[in-house]
Amino acid sequence: AHPKKAARIPPVILRNTNKWTEVTAHLVGAGVKITKAKTCQDGIRIQPASSDEFRALTKHLDDQKLPYHTFSTEEEKTLRVVLKPIPVGIDAEEVKEDLVHQGFHPIKVSRMVRSS
């Protein structure tokens, strides 16, 4: 078994660099930890320490209506999987129940049909 790799926290790019002191004052006051912040072409690139810090930072920027850019966290991404070959005699609902039993959270399970 491979060790599970740590989820990477995406950076948050604060577009308005003039708001940096205001943002950092809030982060310090709220106890939000960041590991790195540096200027980049689009503004200031802020690296939150964890996914909780990421959520706290983006919530603050949303509340203050400050423009920023970021990417989806790994946990927010939808995983799409194709399982094959599953015998036709096994119902899709049985497959879904088995996936739930294994700890997955399927949104939809359907059988792919080959058109001739």
Side-chain angles (χ1 to χ4, degrees):
H2 296 287
K4 189 174 181 182
K5 70 174 186 174
R8 292 193 336 189
I9 311 303
V12 177
I13 290 96
L14 175 66
R15 298 222 187 262
N16 187 344
T17 57
N18 297 331
K19 297 290 184 180
W20 174 242
T21 52
E22 182 184 310
V23 170
T24 53
H26 170 79
L27 296 177
V28 169
V32 176
K33 293 177 179 57
I34 58 172
T35 56
K36 189 169 31 174
K38 67 179 187 175
T39 56
C40 64
Q41 186 175 346
D42 298 331
I44 297 176
R45 182 177 193 216
I46 307 164
Q47 185 63 56
S50 70
S51 54
D52 289 339
E53 265 76 14
F54 174 86
R55 282 189 285 278
L57 172 58
T58 54
K59 181 181 181 332
H60 173 69
L61 296 175
D62 287 337
D63 292 347
Q64 298 300 308
K65 295 181 174 39
L66 294 172
Y68 68 92
H69 172 76
T70 190
F71 305 93
S72 298
T73 58
E74 290 289 325
E75 58 205 37
E76 291 172 350
K77 290 183 181 176
T78 304
L79 178 64
R80 295 173 188 262
V81 179
V82 176
L83 304 173
K84 64 180 195 177
I86 296 176
V88 178
I90 299 176
D91 185 51
E93 196 56 38
E94 279 184 71
V95 174
K96 184 174 185 175
E97 288 170 15
D98 185 51
L99 290 170
V100 169
H101 181 72
Q102 292 182 51
F104 294 99
H105 307 288
I107 296 168
K108 177 182 171 185
V109 173
S110 58
R111 185 170 302 281
M112 292 179 70
V113 183
R114 188 180 309 175
S115 57
S116 302

